[in-house]
Amino acid sequence: MQDARRLKLEEMIARTALGDREAFEALYDATSAKLHAVCLSVLKDRPEAEETLQEVYIKVWQNAARYAANGLSPMTWLITIARNRAIDRLRARSSRPATASTEAAATVASSEPGPETATIRAQERRLLDECLAQLAEPQAGAVRAVYLEGITYADLAQREGKPINTVRSWLRRSLLRLKDCVSQ
């Protein structure tokens, strides 16, 4: 799966080098959360990290032809660009005086999950959906109903017209298959 992702990113970069805007948009969608997290970890300032991320993608657009698909991770190349650009911004920031309001704002923590957390959750949700799709519909529906919607075993058994022990068996076997699928 990692090789397929690497090849897909390499293809998007190669198409971006040819001026393909759709490939560039797909590259942005696939990598922006991770690169934003890199910028944010260096800069510790969300608006500045967002500005830096825009600069990173301008640089990617301009330099995509320089990427050499040599078996190394394209994410490493992208992360290096983001990290270097963020460090440049950090150095430029340290040369100008900070204001008291900027310092105060930097100490307020956001209650929202960061982009990296949001990306991880989205990937986990996608993986769970893929694994649920491998189950037979009655079993997948039972897992969704009990564990995602909060329906009780008894209510599910009544809804499906099955004995409660049958529903429990479905759920147990389904959870074991999901565990195997997710751990691959």
Side-chain angles (χ1 to χ4, degrees):
M1 187 163 151
Q2 292 290 1
D3 284 341
R5 177 170 161 73
R6 180 181 53 80
L7 292 173
K8 186 73 173 163
L9 288 175
E10 287 177 352
E11 177 189 346
M12 286 186 263
I13 292 170
R15 288 177 40 209
T16 297
L18 298 173
D20 185 336
R21 290 184 184 275
E22 288 179 16
F24 183 64
E25 185 177 328
L27 180 66
Y28 179 88
D29 290 342
T31 61
S32 61
K34 177 70 173 174
L35 298 184
H36 183 265
V38 169
C39 294
L40 190 58
S41 71
V42 172
L43 296 167
K44 311 284 191 257
D45 178 69
R46 189 170 301 275
E48 193 171 18
E50 290 169 1
E51 287 179 30
T52 303
L53 185 65
Q54 290 178 1
E55 295 169 7
V56 167
Y57 280 99
I58 290 170
K59 197 166 201 119
V60 168
W61 176 260
Q62 293 169 341
N63 296 314
R66 292 185 182 172
Y67 173 75
N70 55 8
L72 298 177
S73 169
M75 278 306 294
T76 302
W77 181 70
L78 294 166
I79 289 169
T80 301
I81 292 171
R83 186 175 175 281
N84 289 344
R85 187 65 200 119
I87 289 170
D88 289 346
R89 291 282 296 243
L90 189 61
R91 287 178 183 149
R93 183 197 315 159
S94 65
S95 67
R96 66 179 189 249
T99 63
S101 63
T102 304
E103 291 172 7
T107 61
V108 177
S110 171
S111 62
E112 296 179 16
E116 188 169 8
T117 302
T119 301
I120 290 169
R121 286 181 185 167
Q123 289 172 340
E124 288 172 345
R125 179 61 188 211
R126 206 169 20 252
L127 177 62
L128 180 60
D129 288 342
E130 289 171 7
C131 290
L132 278 170
Q134 294 177 11
L135 297 175
E137 185 48 42
Q139 287 78 12
V143 169
R144 282 187 191 97
V146 171
Y147 296 103
L148 300 178
E149 298 168 15
I151 293 177
T152 66
Y153 288 17
D155 289 342
L156 180 64
Q158 184 179 3
R159 185 175 85 183
E160 295 292 324
K162 303 283 183 192
I164 195 165
N165 288 337
T166 301
V167 170
R168 284 188 177 136
S169 294
W170 276 0
L171 291 168
R172 177 163 170 61
R173 285 191 303 268
S174 298
L175 290 177
L176 290 172
R177 288 187 59 200
L178 285 174
K179 181 181 174 187
D180 289 341
C181 179
V182 169
S183 65
Q184 291 179 356

